[in-house]
Amino acid sequence: MACLLEAPLRISVLSEVTATSRHYVDRLFDPDPQKVLQGVIDMKNAVIGNNKQKANLIVLGAVPRLLYLLQQSSSSMELRTECAVVLGSLAMGTENNIKSLVDCHIIPALLQGLLSSDLIFIEACLRCLRTVFISPVTPVQLLYTDPTVIPHLMSLLSNSLRTQEYITQIFSHCCKTPEHQTILFNHGAIQNIAPLLISPSYKVRMQALKCFSVLAYENTQVSMTLVNVLVDGELLTQVFVKMMQRDQPIEMQLTAAKCLTYMCRATAIRTDDSCIVLKTLPCLVRMCSKEHLLEERVEGAETLAYLMEPDVELQRIASTTDHLVAMLADYFKYPSSVSAITDIKRLDHDLKHAHELRQAAFKLYASLGSNDEDIRKKITETENMMDRIVSGLSESSIKVRLAAVRCLHSLSRSVQQLRTSFHDHAVWKPLMKLLQNAPDEVLVMASSTLCNLLLEFSPSKEPILESGVIELLCSLTQSDSPALRVNGIWALMNMAFQADQKVKVEIVRCLGTEQLFRLLSDPDTNVLMKTLGLLRNLLSTRPHIDQIMSSHGKQIMQAVTLILEAEHSIEVKEQTLCILANIADGNTAKDLIMTNDDMLQKIKYYMGHSNVKLQLAATFCVSNLIWNEEDGSQERQDKLREMGFVDILHKLTQSSDPNLSDRWARTYKHLNPASTVRLQLHGGDSETAVVVKSTLPDITANAEPSDSQQWR
């Protein structure tokens, strides 16, 4: 049975094993039960607060013998209880101690002990289980291996205050996944634990509260159930609100705020509910102030960031509450400067939490600035903020780097900031450095930020282009991660918008036609949509259209055909028809459509489609093909008449929507020699290729990306 310490540690510990330690273990094997009991009691007293003694006894094989005695029905209940107490004490040592205990199968033995009818023994087993399970090295799945364990633990909740405290603490530490939440929920966790929130014991109330926070986290089913729970005639949400009052312990205030936050994020509570706006949010902002411990400030900031992440109104309220934006600047002032030797302990404490503080501040700034331009401006004008973000991008802590780049990404969704703060601090340089060597989670956020820095109006676009970024982005499109493939192709799409032919040629060369068409068959719809966007931007302005189609026309037309024939969304097919409309605007490229009767039939089919977006996109293709002032227009018009395009256009002019019928009527007139009107979706001269407008988020700034380049 593998239940000894790891080899290097075992050798060092064995050299220090004393005769006394051996004596304790030897007494466990005495034939006299009373001497064994006394030996266990003496061992209990010897290991209290003595990690070396605990390690010695584990090495000498005390654990298997203690477990044997604990499980023997012939052992007295007092002996079994004392064994559980000693095992619990051994578990309170180092992580290696815990590993050794788990390897000796302590968990199944203790769970078996819970079947006893003796309450004191049950409490001792639960206390030891609690100590083992709260260790980060214990596999929590061991609690769920036997399906009878959870319901039995639920049945023990009513036995005593101690069983309530230990069991709820075990649940809160062992609920790590949605599957765990479901198991606990299905076995009555809510109805069994809710009454404990009004227990006379603070410890029980606190552990019950922690249970609800882990149960509700990102779980709609649990959260929706919680809002309707009554505790002693009062709604559970109101119980949580009372627990956030200033006269309650900080730990309770914070945990209650987390419960309401998670219920809100799970859509069980509206974001404009008074318990969120007037209670939860102010409570969390309060936790960010200097008067609280660093750990509390970290937890408060991170929970607040999570609460308001998707809601712009909460972001605006928070930004004006208790000078939060300025308050967060203090998070970067740790560790404090120390001069006296008496401050060494404080310095050590500050150092330990400095990374966590910076990470929390960056997260909260990112959440605050994710939508509102005024808030972003307030953040960037905060004391040395941009310098702090730039420094954060190169910190040793991966978590801080990730939080810093999240903050940068949030601020990058602003035309004003791209043109001012981002340009003044040349943030693209550390961002590019970060992209060279970073874990995937950092790489995803950094490449998302890069997408915004490559928008047409960003001053950073040119220096980024000159830094050789195209090769890096092309490599991202080959990643196994869909998020990285999306970001790589998204950045290339933004880069290609209104780009010089030199840039477009370099993109095509570096990406390679094989990879481009591989992306057009990517199973991830986001990748496909952005690849279509890239292709649309590459195929804009006539010289570029003709040049690219002369080199890759056959493959592009084949890809377009496959997409139009396959089962794709309306949005995908709309963008594919956009590409055809752009090809139709080329001088020579349009011949690839006109000589392809199958493609013309597809355009005709989509003109008669039930979806208006597809009808319009197909109509723009026809409009560009039959433009009167171009060579060969008469022949193209004649061919389309022969194929029945006039009839279908005539039907479309009967649309009940006057705007739509007018667009189709103008295209219809193109098929008459007297017509001199060229249809376009939006402004531009006759040299501009048609682009069908897509839906984009509103940008509250003095400029915004077009439908061919998008915020990330």
Side-chain angles (χ1 to χ4, degrees):
M1 183 178 290
C3 56
L4 295 182
L5 295 175
E6 296 177 3
L9 181 58
R10 185 165 66 247
I11 293 170
S12 64
V13 171
L14 277 171
S15 64
E16 300 180 21
V17 172
T18 64
T20 305
S21 299
R22 294 182 193 278
H23 177 62
Y24 287 126
V25 178
D26 291 342
R27 292 170 68 186
L28 298 179
F29 293 88
D30 196 289
D32 184 343
Q34 280 304 117
K35 290 183 178 179
V36 173
L37 174 60
Q38 190 57 49
V40 174
I41 293 172
D42 291 344
M43 183 183 288
K44 175 182 68 175
N45 294 330
V47 298
I48 294 174
N50 190 333
N51 281 345
K52 183 186 288 188
Q53 186 71 278
K54 292 174 184 178
N56 287 347
L57 291 170
I58 291 173
V59 168
L60 289 169
V63 175
R65 183 61 180 173
L66 289 167
L67 288 172
Y68 173 80
L69 294 170
L70 180 141
Q71 295 177 86
Q72 288 303 300
S73 58
S74 58
S75 298
S76 68
M77 196 53 68
E78 185 181 5
L79 174 59
R80 296 173 72 187
T81 302
E82 291 295 346
C83 287
V85 171
V86 173
L87 288 166
S89 185
L90 294 176
M92 296 178 75
T94 65
E95 288 187 353
N96 277 321
N97 289 6
I98 294 284
K99 289 178 182 177
S100 298
L101 292 170
V102 172
D103 289 344
C104 285
H105 307 292
I106 188 175
I107 292 174
L110 291 170
L111 290 173
Q112 186 67 26
L114 298 181
L115 298 174
S116 169
S117 59
D118 187 278
L119 180 57
I120 296 176
F121 177 57
I122 289 173
E123 289 176 349
C125 289
L126 283 172
R127 184 163 52 247
C128 184
L129 279 167
R130 181 272 312 267
T131 305
V132 172
F133 274 120
I134 65 175
S135 169
V137 301
T138 303
V140 297
Q141 195 57 37
L142 293 174
L143 184 67
Y144 304 95
T145 304
D146 183 344
T148 66
V149 168
I150 300 300
H152 185 61
L153 287 171
M154 293 292 179
S155 72
L156 294 175
L157 273 171
S158 60
N159 285 13
S160 71
L161 292 177
R162 287 194 178 96
T163 61
Q164 291 169 355
E165 177 191 345
Y166 302 149
I167 291 171
T168 49
Q169 193 168 5
I170 289 170
F171 286 162
S172 64
H173 279 275
C174 293
C175 187
K176 303 290 187 184
T177 68
E179 291 74 21
H180 297 162
Q181 291 173 323
T182 299
I183 291 170
L184 293 173
F185 177 82
N186 289 341
H187 284 98
I190 293 177
Q191 53 266 45
N192 282 297
I193 297 174
L196 306 186
L197 291 170
I198 55 172
S199 167
S201 165
Y202 171 76
K203 289 182 178 179
V204 172
R205 295 199 305 277
M206 196 60 238
Q207 294 306 327
L209 191 57
K210 287 181 178 178
C211 256
F212 281 126
S213 74
V214 296
L215 283 169
Y217 181 66
E218 294 187 347
N219 193 307
T220 301
Q221 182 185 32
V222 171
S223 296
M224 289 294 189
T225 304
L226 289 178
V227 293
N228 296 313
V229 170
L230 290 175
V231 180
D232 197 27
E234 190 171 30
L235 281 173
L236 188 63
T237 51
Q238 289 308 305
V239 175
F240 291 155
V241 167
K242 286 183 177 179
M243 288 178 160
M244 289 191 296
Q245 291 175 353
R246 291 173 184 258
D247 60 348
Q248 297 296 329
I250 298 301
E251 178 188 30
M252 180 168 280
Q253 292 183 50
L254 257 175
T255 311
K258 287 171 76 171
C259 289
L260 290 166
T261 292
Y262 298 157
M263 292 167 68
C264 180
R265 284 298 306 268
T267 69
I269 303 175
R270 290 168 54 96
T271 56
D272 60 356
D273 191 292
S274 61
C275 75
I276 297 297
V277 177
L278 302 179
K279 301 295 183 180
T280 308
L281 187 146
C283 173
L284 291 171
V285 172
R286 194 165 66 244
M287 294 300 153
C288 297
S289 65
K290 279 183 178 181
E291 66 189 55
H292 293 292
L293 298 175
L294 301 189
E295 301 94 312
E296 295 163 355
R297 297 173 72 185
V298 167
E299 192 171 0
E302 292 192 339
T303 306
L304 179 57
Y306 183 69
L307 170 65
M308 63 185 180
E309 189 175 27
D311 192 89
V312 64
E313 193 54 39
L314 286 180
Q315 291 159 14
R316 287 170 180 155
I317 294 169
S319 70
T320 58
T321 303
D322 292 347
H323 307 288
L324 177 63
V325 174
M327 188 193 302
L328 286 176
D330 289 332
Y331 278 49
F332 297 94
K333 297 177 181 177
Y334 294 90
S336 312
S337 58
V338 290
S339 53
I341 193 69
T342 54
D343 286 329
I344 289 298
K345 284 189 176 180
R346 181 182 173 187
L347 176 62
D348 181 62
H349 179 265
D350 287 3
L351 283 169
K352 182 180 178 182
H353 293 285
H355 286 167
E356 295 175 1
L357 282 163
R358 289 196 291 277
Q359 177 190 344
F362 283 137
K363 280 184 180 179
L364 188 43
Y365 276 136
S367 187
L368 278 167
S370 57
N371 290 290
D372 189 278
E373 185 64 29
D374 290 336
I375 299 175
R376 292 190 190 113
K377 186 172 184 291
K378 190 185 295 186
I379 291 171
T380 56
E381 290 176 351
T382 301
E383 178 186 357
N384 301 322
M385 190 59 213
M386 292 305 296
D387 290 332
R388 285 168 175 157
I389 295 175
V390 169
S391 298
L393 296 177
S394 58
E395 282 222 18
S396 57
S397 167
I398 291 176
K399 290 183 177 180
V400 176
R401 293 206 302 273
L402 178 59
V405 77
R406 278 184 62 186
C407 183
L408 194 67
H409 176 250
S410 179
L411 298 174
S412 72
R413 294 179 61 83
S414 159
V415 176
Q416 182 181 0
Q417 298 309 321
L418 287 177
R419 287 176 170 170
T420 55
S421 301
F422 278 57
H423 180 60
D424 295 342
H425 291 82
V427 297
W428 67 270
K429 292 181 180 179
L431 186 66
M432 287 296 295
K433 186 177 179 181
L434 189 63
L435 283 162
Q436 303 302 322
N437 183 26
D440 275 5
E441 57 182 345
V442 176
L443 204 54
V444 167
M445 194 55 63
S447 53
S448 293
T449 308
L450 189 64
C451 290
N452 293 340
L453 267 65
L454 286 169
L455 289 165
E456 182 265 338
F457 45 74
S458 167
S460 302
K461 181 174 183 177
E462 284 306 314
I464 291 174
L465 276 171
E466 293 168 5
S467 73
V469 72
I470 294 178
E471 189 172 339
L472 169 66
L473 296 176
C474 290
S475 69
L476 290 183
T477 69
Q478 300 177 34
S479 170
D480 292 334
S481 163
L484 287 176
R485 292 201 303 279
V486 167
N487 285 352
I489 203 70
W490 196 321
L492 289 169
M493 178 189 78
N494 283 353
M495 182 188 298
F497 178 73
Q498 295 186 356
D500 296 337
Q501 187 163 0
K502 175 184 173 183
V503 173
K504 293 183 178 181
V505 169
E506 180 61 17
I507 290 173
V508 174
R509 184 201 67 76
C510 191
L511 188 61
T513 51
E514 285 189 16
Q515 176 61 8
L516 179 62
F517 299 116
R518 194 176 297 120
L519 292 167
L520 286 171
S521 58
D522 196 285
D524 189 289
T525 302
N526 289 327
V527 175
L528 173 56
M529 282 291 286
K530 292 300 169 280
T531 306
L532 291 171
L534 169 63
L535 197 53
R536 189 177 75 232
N537 284 350
L538 291 172
L539 294 168
S540 62
T541 72
R542 287 182 179 175
H544 299 175
I545 294 169
D546 290 334
Q547 192 273 330
I548 291 174
M549 292 304 292
S550 67
S551 305
H552 308 291
K554 183 178 179 182
Q555 298 99 313
I556 291 174
M557 293 299 289
Q558 184 179 8
V560 167
T561 299
L562 291 173
I563 293 171
L564 291 178
E565 290 179 349
E567 293 293 326
H568 285 296
S569 66
I570 295 297
E571 290 73 22
V572 167
K573 293 197 173 185
E574 178 192 10
Q575 296 307 316
T576 306
L577 289 169
C578 283
I579 292 171
L580 269 182
N582 284 11
I583 294 170
D585 193 49
N587 287 320
T588 58
K590 57 167 53 78
D591 292 340
L592 289 166
I593 299 176
M594 291 304 303
T595 56
N596 187 332
D597 286 356
D598 179 59
M599 186 60 73
L600 289 172
Q601 288 294 345
K602 284 180 171 55
I603 294 172
K604 181 181 174 184
Y605 166 77
Y606 283 106
M607 287 177 69
H609 198 278
S610 58
N611 184 274
V612 174
K613 289 182 178 180
L614 298 184
Q615 288 179 321
L616 281 171
T619 303
F620 294 143
C621 294
V622 174
S623 175
N624 282 354
L625 288 172
I626 61 177
W627 174 237
N628 282 339
E629 295 181 3
E630 295 170 354
D631 293 341
S633 63
Q634 189 60 54
E635 290 81 357
R636 291 191 292 275
Q637 290 174 13
D638 291 343
K639 181 169 183 176
L640 295 185
R641 285 194 196 96
E642 291 173 7
M643 294 183 70
F645 276 76
V646 174
D647 295 337
I648 196 165
L649 276 170
H650 179 69
K651 290 179 182 178
L652 293 173
T653 59
Q654 310 304 312
S655 170
S656 58
D657 186 325
N659 293 320
L660 298 180
S661 61
D662 179 63
R663 289 178 188 273
W664 284 313
R666 282 185 286 156
T667 306
Y668 178 63
K669 291 178 183 177
H670 279 94
L671 294 177
N672 297 322
S675 175
T676 58
V677 179
R678 181 164 189 255
L679 181 64
Q680 297 230 347
L681 176 60
H682 53 75
D685 57 31
S686 60
E687 298 296 316
T688 304
V690 174
V691 178
V692 177
K693 187 166 181 57
S694 304
T695 303
L696 283 176
D698 292 335
I699 308 297
T700 56
N702 58 350
E704 63 179 59
S706 78
D707 34 300
S708 307
Q709 56 169 353
Q710 297 178 0
W711 293 111
R712 183 68 170 109

